Amino acid sequence: MSVILLIILIPLAFVIGIGASAIGATAWMLLLPVLFVMFGFNLYYTILISLLIDCGNALIMTVFASQNQQIDVKMGLKLSLLASIFVVIGVSLGTTFIPDHQDLFKNPSNVGTLLFALAFLRRGYKQGKLEAAKADAAVEVSPGDKVVTLATGGGLRPLLIYPGLMFVATQSGLVGIGGGLMYAVLLMFCSAFPTLKATGTAMLITLVTTMVAATGIFFQLPVESSLDRPKVILILLLVFISMIGTILGARIAYSLSLKKLNYLIGVVLMSAAFVAFSQSLVFGS
């Protein structure tokens, strides 16, 4: 196992864990340029590692959310069941899509991540103005006042969560993206979930869907990329390091006010987009 590989991957896995704790960011966009492009790992093996890291981080965040009453278990399980069906569909489609489109994985787009980063920075700014107005009115603002959402939950908006969920879940099975960030945004936009509850519930969905997707990818591993002992050790090491990052990040996230939480999410997503964009410039072809 290359020392240079470990020097790059260990801090990267830790950073991925921080991103997962903030808003369910996936390992996919940071790992692909390093493992698949720079070090020439098999694409299926790279996707499997990404999914297992996302799964481990989702487990940590599900436990944290449950301990802090920031999860809707009933809705999470219901949406997980629906999402899993479309993950299986995505995995089935991926049996032909992945081998025929491997070049698309070398330069993944980071525009969506950047837009989400700007949206959360804007929410943090607006929340800061709201908290300042409450302070001027002598209304106490506590860390528990994490109730600002992206939607009121009325009209047709709640129904949009289902096609959105189907799209994200299919994408998870098709290309191996964890989907936690998108599930969280869907819950905030369509079901008026506050940030922490949306993230906690989204990570329960991600925990289930990444297990399903990882199982599908595992059975597609080519013979030359079978999981020998060094590869298993590498996977376990990266999952473990990333889970440590998630634990640390979750402790920070659950101690912040809503304004600071949104700023944290914005900075984490913007940093991830910048790192991924830099990787694509250096390693892309």
Side-chain angles (χ1 to χ4, degrees):
M1 193 181 300
S2 170
V3 175
I4 296 177
L5 177 65
L6 292 179
I7 291 174
I8 295 174
L9 286 182
I10 288 177
L12 190 63
F14 185 80
V15 170
I16 289 168
I18 297 292
S21 69
I23 193 63
T26 179
W28 189 87
M29 66 178 179
L30 295 182
L31 279 185
L32 252 69
V34 174
L35 291 180
F36 178 53
V37 180
M38 181 181 179
F39 286 93
F41 278 47
N42 178 271
L43 181 54
Y44 283 100
Y45 179 47
T46 302
I47 292 174
L48 178 64
I49 293 176
S50 175
L51 286 168
L52 292 177
I53 289 175
D54 286 342
C55 185
N57 292 340
L59 173 61
I60 295 296
M61 286 306 299
T62 300
V63 172
F64 261 90
S66 179
Q67 291 174 341
N68 289 274
Q69 291 79 49
Q70 294 289 351
I71 187 171
D72 188 327
V73 175
K74 183 177 180 181
M75 174 171 277
L77 291 176
K78 179 181 73 172
L79 295 179
S80 297
L81 178 61
L82 176 61
S84 295
I85 296 172
F86 285 88
V87 169
V88 172
I89 293 174
V91 169
S92 178
L93 294 173
T95 57
T96 56
F97 179 83
I98 294 177
D100 294 340
H101 298 86
Q102 294 203 22
D103 286 344
L104 296 178
F105 291 82
K106 294 181 179 179
N107 293 291
S109 174
N110 303 298
V111 175
T113 303
L114 182 60
L115 291 177
F116 283 130
L118 295 175
F120 279 103
L121 290 174
R122 180 173 178 269
R123 291 184 72 213
Y125 174 74
K126 290 177 67 176
Q127 181 65 26
K129 293 179 66 176
L130 176 62
E131 292 179 5
K134 286 184 177 183
D136 290 341
V139 177
E140 181 180 359
V141 179
S142 69
D145 292 334
K146 297 175 178 176
V147 295
V148 175
T149 63
L150 294 177
T152 60
L156 295 175
R157 188 169 287 186
L159 299 178
L160 295 177
I161 194 170
Y162 296 106
L165 183 89
M166 295 171 188
F167 173 76
V168 177
T170 302
Q171 184 177 246
S172 294
L174 183 65
V175 299
I177 295 177
L181 168 62
M182 289 301 300
Y183 292 135
V185 170
L186 282 171
L187 288 167
M188 293 162 66
F189 181 78
C190 300
S191 301
F193 273 38
T195 304
L196 287 179
K197 190 173 183 180
T199 303
T201 308
M203 293 307 264
L204 172 58
I205 301 171
T206 304
L207 174 62
V208 176
T209 56
T210 51
M211 284 193 290
V212 175
T215 301
I217 293 296
F218 173 78
F219 284 109
Q220 295 181 63
L221 285 175
V223 175
E224 65 270 17
S225 291
S226 58
L227 295 181
D228 54 20
R229 183 175 178 181
K231 290 178 180 178
V232 171
I233 293 174
L234 176 63
I235 291 174
L236 292 177
L237 177 63
L238 295 181
V239 171
F240 177 71
I241 294 296
S242 195
M243 289 171 72
I244 292 176
T246 303
I247 292 172
L248 176 61
R251 292 185 183 278
I252 295 172
Y254 277 92
S255 68
L256 298 177
S257 66
L258 183 58
K259 178 185 74 172
K260 293 179 180 179
L261 177 62
N262 280 290
Y263 279 140
L264 173 65
I265 293 171
V267 169
V268 166
L269 292 179
M270 186 167 289
S271 300
F274 175 77
V275 171
F277 177 70
S278 300
Q279 288 177 332
S280 67
L281 288 180
V282 175
F283 306 128
S285 61

